[in-house]
């Protein structure tokens, strides 16, 4: 158990990967640069709540593939579904009965999805939702929130959280100034700032795009009344409201965060958990808006792999599993137990710390300030997080390698896993305190 040493297979694979894969990773968020380690662990397989690296080290997995992981690895019903779906053929370039059923079940779970379009990733879902918002309103600008992350399309990478913030690149190179000029960025949880922006540019704003509960500056919850104020302001200025629920949908509850927050957007984007571990995204919402998408309307959006039968059949099975009685109550209980335990351990060892939690997802911030936006999230110590990450990895607990991400509890995490994790956290924080890092 532990971080593999310099002669390990992970180290060897990293050297090989560097020669052919940019930075040795297929998504920058997977790099261990921000946690002070020379290379990431290379994972060979997963089962339930555990991952094993190529050297045979076992980890309790809270990375959860950056949020899609909720069912656990190699869930037997998902494995069986994949086998059966693959035997029927994986891609036809035609409509299928499975996608009709999925669209109906998504709408049943999230009533605002009057019309839906399936895509392959969250990035595509958001990019497409913004395009249709522009087509519907005839306006060019988009309001987004500092530290939210909406995938890697050009406009979305202005002041973005998650990987870009972690690696110090919240504004990516390669984005035309003309694109950046159409993006207005305001702080999250600040209705007055949004109001001021809409007073100034309101008649040019097609959409206000928001993570209703933020997952990408760490978890940040909307303050009471905030999302309703956002909804009211968008109505007043004729802009569409887009909830990016790529992380929150089917994580917070069976459905969207909108189901529990009581605020209904015009459009919603989905991804991650809905795919049950396969590539799947979706966007949808008001019929009058979505009917502007081709072939009904003039906003073109397409995809050779969109709604591929393998992903869709797995999604249907994932929804079956997630829809069973008690699933979300149990995930919430486990999330609360772990989040409270980790926070208590941090404080017991003398660290200034905060935990923000949404159901089974939470972030531990090493800061003395409540975290309510990107500015306060950025006060969390990167050095303390990096050390904590390394200590946990060395004790067989895999977290996301960034202070701006979250821990995600999954269905197969057992009470014994949670207690083993809390013991690891206690030992990790004790080691950090012994080195004089607390206070
Ligand atoms: C809220 C949110 N929106 C969109 C995306 C983009 O999704 P994907 O990485 O599947 O393109 C992500 C994560 O990556 C996300 O967290
Ligand atoms: N936080 C990101 C998405 O939610 C991380 C995933 C990635 O970019 O690889």
């Amino acid at each position: 158990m532990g971080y593999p040493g310099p002669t390990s297979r992970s180290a060897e694979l990293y050297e090989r990967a560097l020669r052919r894969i940019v930075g040795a990773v297929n998504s920058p968020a997977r790099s261990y640069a921000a946690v002070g380690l020379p290379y990431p662990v290379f994972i060979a397989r997963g089962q339930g709540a555990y991952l094993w690296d190529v050297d045979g080290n076992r980890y309790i997995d809270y990375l959860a593939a950056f949020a899609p992981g909720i069912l656990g690895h190699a869930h037997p019903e998902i494995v069986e579904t994949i086998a059966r779906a693959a035997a029927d053929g994986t891609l036809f370039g035609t409509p299928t009965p499975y996608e009709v059923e999925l669209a109906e079940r998504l709408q049943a779970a999230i009533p605002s999805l009057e019309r839906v379009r399936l895509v392959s990733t969250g990035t595509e879902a958001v990019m497409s939702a913004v395009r249709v918002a522009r087509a519907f309103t005839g306006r060019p600008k988009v309001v987004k929130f500092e530290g939210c992350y909406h995938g890697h399309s050009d406009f979305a990478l202005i002041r973005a959280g998650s990987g870009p913030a972690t690696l110090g690149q919240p504004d990516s190179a390669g984005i035309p100034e003309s694109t950046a000029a159409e993006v207005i960025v305001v702080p999250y949880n600040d209705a007055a700032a949004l109001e001021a922006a809409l007073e100034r540019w309101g008649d040019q704003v097609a959409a206000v795009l928001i993570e209703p509960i933020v997952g990408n500056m760490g978890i940040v919850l909307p303050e009471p009344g905030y999302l309703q104020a956002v909804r009211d302001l968008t109505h007043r200025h004729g802009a569409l409201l887009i909830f990016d629920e790529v992380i929150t949908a089917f994580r917070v509850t069976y459905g969207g965060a909108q189901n529990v927050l009581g605020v209904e957007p015009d459009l919603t984007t989905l991804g991650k958990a809905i795919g049950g571990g396969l590539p799947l995204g979706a966007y949808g919402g008001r019929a009058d808006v979505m009917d502007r998408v081709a072939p009904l309307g003039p906003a073109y959006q397409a995809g050779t792999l969109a709604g591929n039968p393998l992903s869709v059949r797995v999604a249907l099975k994932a929804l079956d599993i997630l829809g069973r009685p008690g699933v979300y109550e149990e995930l919430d209980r486990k999330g609360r137990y772990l989040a409270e335990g980790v926070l208590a351990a941090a404080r017991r060892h003398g660290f200034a710390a905060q935990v923000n939690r949404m159901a089974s997802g939470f972030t531990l911030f090493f800061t003395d300030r409540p975290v309510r936006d990107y500015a306060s999230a950025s006060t969390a110590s990167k050095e303390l997080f990096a050390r904590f990450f390394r200590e946990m990895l060395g004790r067989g607990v895999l977290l996301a390698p960034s202070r701006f991400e979250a821990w995600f509890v999954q269905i197969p995490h057992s009470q014994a896993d949670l207690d083993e994790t809390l013991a690891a956290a206690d030992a990790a924080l004790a080691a950090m305190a012994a080195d004089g890092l607390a206070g």
Side-chain angles (χ1 to χ4, degrees):
M1 191 188 286
Y3 183 65
T7 58
S8 67
R9 289 207 60 218
S10 275
E12 198 181 287
L13 280 166
Y14 178 72
E15 290 306 322
R16 257 177 73 196
L18 272 183
R19 289 196 280 276
R20 291 288 176 262
I21 298 175
V22 184
V25 287
N26 282 312
S27 185
R30 299 175 195 174
S31 157
Y32 278 13
V35 290
L37 289 173
Y39 45 85
V41 287
F42 282 64
I43 297 297
R45 68 186 183 91
Q47 183 69 57
Y50 309 122
L51 293 173
W52 283 267
D53 70 18
V54 287
D55 294 293
N57 299 306
R58 190 204 79 169
Y59 304 93
I60 305 177
D61 177 25
Y62 298 102
L63 170 64
F66 292 93
I70 191 164
L71 307 174
H73 302 283
H75 189 294
E77 292 176 67
I78 296 292
V79 173
E80 194 198 334
T81 303
I82 290 173
R84 267 205 265 116
D88 288 341
T90 51
L91 195 61
F92 312 134
T94 69
T96 69
Y98 317 112
E99 62 193 22
V100 182
E101 187 183 343
L102 183 60
E104 288 169 353
R105 287 177 60 181
L106 289 175
Q107 198 274 334
I110 306 175
S112 69
L113 294 177
E114 293 172 354
R115 299 281 187 280
V116 73
R117 183 48 82 73
L118 301 181
V119 293
S120 300
T121 65
T123 295
E124 280 179 272
V126 174
M127 181 184 78
S128 309
V130 167
R131 182 180 304 139
V132 69
R134 284 173 163 151
F136 182 80
T137 58
R139 299 169 171 189
K141 292 194 189 296
V142 177
V143 176
K144 69 180 288 292
F145 296 81
E146 187 180 25
C148 286
Y149 179 76
H150 304 286
H152 61 94
S153 60
D154 283 357
F155 82 89
L157 286 179
I158 310 295
R159 312 262 290 276
S162 184
T166 305
L167 299 172
Q169 302 166 342
D171 296 298
S172 170
I175 313 264
E177 267 177 38
S178 55
T179 299
E182 303 299 5
V183 181
I184 300 158
V185 183
V186 295
Y188 186 79
N189 264 331
D190 184 343
L194 178 63
E195 183 169 19
L198 288 174
E199 290 297 335
R200 176 150 178 216
W201 289 291
D203 61 350
Q204 298 173 57
V205 173
V208 172
L209 170 65
I210 191 166
E211 291 182 76
I213 301 172
V214 187
N216 285 298
M217 48 180 115
I219 302 289
V220 177
L221 303 171
E223 290 173 353
Y226 174 65
L227 289 175
Q228 189 57 55
V230 173
R231 176 70 279 189
D232 294 344
L233 285 165
T234 51
H235 275 146
R236 191 185 313 156
H237 291 274
L240 298 185
L241 177 59
I242 305 175
F243 274 4
D244 183 349
E245 296 231 38
V246 165
I247 288 183
T248 50
F250 298 96
R251 168 62 60 183
V252 174
T253 187
Y254 185 89
Q258 60 195 266
N259 300 32
V260 290
L261 294 168
V263 175
E264 192 167 280
D266 301 297
L267 296 174
T268 298
T269 58
L270 305 172
K272 304 224 185 216
I274 61 162
L278 270 74
L280 188 67
Y283 70 103
R286 271 170 51 187
D288 60 331
V289 179
M290 287 299 290
D291 286 352
R292 300 295 170 101
V293 178
L296 291 185
Y300 200 76
Q301 178 271 313
T304 306
L305 298 175
N308 84 76
L310 194 59
S311 295
V312 171
R313 287 175 72 173
V314 168
L316 290 169
K317 180 52 71 180
L319 295 191
D320 286 345
I321 299 168
L322 293 172
R324 289 176 188 156
V327 164
Y328 283 92
E329 288 77 0
E330 183 60 5
L331 281 167
D332 187 69
R333 185 197 67 74
K334 290 191 282 192
R336 182 182 312 112
Y337 181 81
L338 197 57
E340 287 176 356
V342 169
L343 179 64
R347 293 196 171 151
R348 193 163 59 241
H349 288 288
F351 290 92
Q354 315 285 328
V355 160
N356 284 353
R357 183 175 74 90
M358 59 160 183
S360 56
F362 67 90
T363 301
L364 171 70
F365 297 94
F366 286 100
T367 177
D368 58 1
R369 290 177 54 177
V371 175
R372 58 183 297 273
D373 56 13
Y374 183 64
S376 44
S378 301
T379 66
S381 165
K382 24 178 185 208
E383 292 76 21
L384 288 180
F385 176 79
R387 174 72 187 272
F388 181 67
F389 174 91
R390 297 195 298 268
E391 293 285 346
M392 293 297 275
L393 191 70
R395 290 173 173 81
V397 178
L398 185 67
L399 307 177
S402 164
R403 69 188 157 135
F404 295 125
E405 303 283 355
W407 307 41
F408 292 107
V409 175
Q410 312 195 49
I411 291 172
H413 279 122
S414 65
Q415 188 60 38
D417 294 327
L418 303 185
D419 288 331
E420 186 180 330
T421 305
L422 288 180
D426 190 64
L429 292 156
M432 293 164 66
D435 283 348
L437 298 176

